[in-house]
Amino acid sequence: MKAKKYFGQYFLNSSKALEEIISGARLESSDVVLEIGPGRGVLTLKLLSQAKKVVAVEKDRELIELLKVTFSKDIESGKMILVEEDILDFVPENFGLHAGKYKLVANIPYYITGEILRKFIGGKTSPSLAVLLVQKEVADRITEKDLKGSILSVSIKVYGTPERLSLVKKGSFSPQPNVDSAVLLIDNISKSFFNTFSEEDFFLIVKRGFSQKRKQLKNNFDEHFEENLVSKAFSTCAIPVKARAEELTLKQWRCLVEQFVVRSE
């Protein structure tokens, strides 16, 4: 069965990469796992061997029929739930998946990586842990391999602890994509970061900070707040006057939000 480019299908054929994904997920016999885009089922097979239950969501009707045959016994026993649906329309609660009560393990379609991260890592029904095969560039931006922060890296770090586990070369897929990939672990997923302010307020400040990346951070905020308030916030948060958004730590972003939002209320 040929991969369909319009579904973003790249089938993983590296046993080493599969083992690294499974190892990163730290599966236990009591775990419930959500798999996005099971494809031909090579990862699914390993998930079923270690987890209590696997909920696999596949959009491709041809692959659904293949998976029904391959995993007929697991589906019949209830160990596997196969769902034919677009993952962006999928409602986890409808299949017994509740916040913090399942793990997300998948080789996801790269063209909707951002939407998947927003839906599941920052969503109301987030997993306790996620191990995702993503483009290397995306994994590096999230984990700040280049030591430069971004809205993407900040957006993930407020919900969990990201770590790039391994590099997966493009030759590990069929068909071969144009870029290398990486196994990305996002651990300790929760919303505990937002205990003194809302998610909306936090991301409003972050987006303002990154609004013009070539500008110094202070200049971006001077357009929205009184200059005295901005200067005081930078001093309180120990941020250099000439700092840029990409240089801030998560602790400093939290401090800025507490200064701008909480103090201005």
Side-chain angles (χ1 to χ4, degrees):
M1 186 177 294
K2 292 185 178 180
K4 302 178 179 66
K5 287 188 176 181
Y6 52 86
F7 280 146
Q9 293 174 346
Y10 294 98
F11 299 124
L12 183 63
N13 54 27
S14 165
S15 57
K16 179 181 177 182
L18 286 170
E19 291 301 330
E20 288 169 343
I21 293 171
I22 293 296
S23 175
R26 304 194 301 271
L27 293 174
E28 299 180 2
S29 59
S30 59
D31 283 335
V32 176
V33 176
L34 170 63
E35 183 186 10
I36 299 171
R40 296 168 178 167
V42 292
L43 177 58
T44 314
L45 183 64
K46 291 187 175 294
L47 293 173
L48 286 167
S49 70
Q50 296 191 31
K52 178 181 180 181
K53 179 184 292 187
V54 174
V55 179
V57 183
E58 177 58 61
K59 185 178 180 179
D60 188 334
R61 169 58 65 87
E62 284 189 78
L63 287 174
I64 283 286
E65 295 306 317
L66 173 65
L67 293 165
K68 282 181 179 178
V69 174
T70 304
F71 299 105
S72 58
K73 292 183 179 180
D74 295 295
I75 294 172
E76 185 178 352
S77 69
K79 186 176 178 64
M80 177 178 175
I81 298 176
L82 182 60
V83 183
E84 182 183 353
E85 191 170 9
D86 187 322
I87 192 60
L88 300 182
D89 297 326
F90 179 73
V91 180
E93 297 94 329
N94 291 349
F95 297 90
L97 302 176
H98 302 286
K101 302 297 183 182
Y102 69 99
K103 292 180 178 180
L104 172 58
V105 186
N107 171 19
I108 61 176
Y110 292 168
Y111 74 103
I112 54 171
T113 296
E115 290 92 333
I116 289 174
L117 291 173
R118 283 191 290 272
K119 179 181 177 73
F120 290 98
I121 307 304
K124 64 178 182 178
T125 316
S126 56
S128 61
L129 170 154
V131 179
L132 304 172
L133 192 53
V134 301
Q135 288 186 11
K136 174 184 176 294
E137 179 186 353
V138 172
D140 287 348
R141 285 172 58 200
I142 289 174
T143 57
E144 297 182 28
K145 285 288 183 181
D146 58 0
L147 302 181
K148 292 182 179 180
S150 63
I151 289 182
L152 177 60
S153 63
V154 173
S155 298
I156 296 301
K157 287 184 176 181
V158 295
Y159 294 111
T161 307
E163 178 185 355
R164 200 188 89 175
L165 298 182
S166 61
L167 175 68
V168 182
K169 302 296 285 185
K170 54 189 177 184
S172 301
F173 298 87
S174 176
Q176 181 174 298
N178 296 323
V179 296
D180 291 331
S181 302
V183 179
L184 175 69
L185 165 67
I186 305 174
D187 204 356
N188 306 312
I189 300 173
S190 76
K191 296 198 176 187
S192 60
F193 182 85
F194 303 99
N195 54 4
T196 58
F197 44 77
S198 69
E199 294 171 74
E200 291 75 15
D201 285 338
F202 177 81
F203 286 112
L204 175 63
I205 297 301
V206 171
K207 287 177 181 177
R208 285 176 175 175
F210 277 99
S211 60
Q212 298 184 63
K213 291 186 68 176
R214 294 186 178 181
K215 273 190 173 185
Q216 292 176 359
L217 183 64
K218 187 177 184 301
N219 292 335
N220 286 339
F221 286 132
D222 281 340
E223 297 178 5
H224 300 281
F225 301 102
E226 293 182 3
E227 187 174 351
N228 289 340
L229 176 59
V230 175
S231 296
K232 184 177 181 181
F234 272 51
S235 176
T236 300
C237 300
I239 299 172
V241 175
K242 295 185 178 181
R244 299 183 186 278
E246 63 187 20
E247 299 170 352
L248 265 62
T249 65
L250 196 59
K251 182 179 179 180
Q252 288 172 321
W253 280 117
R254 175 197 285 275
C255 181
L256 280 180
V257 177
E258 291 174 341
Q259 293 299 307
F260 290 145
V261 176
V262 177
R263 286 180 179 273
S264 61
E265 291 179 346

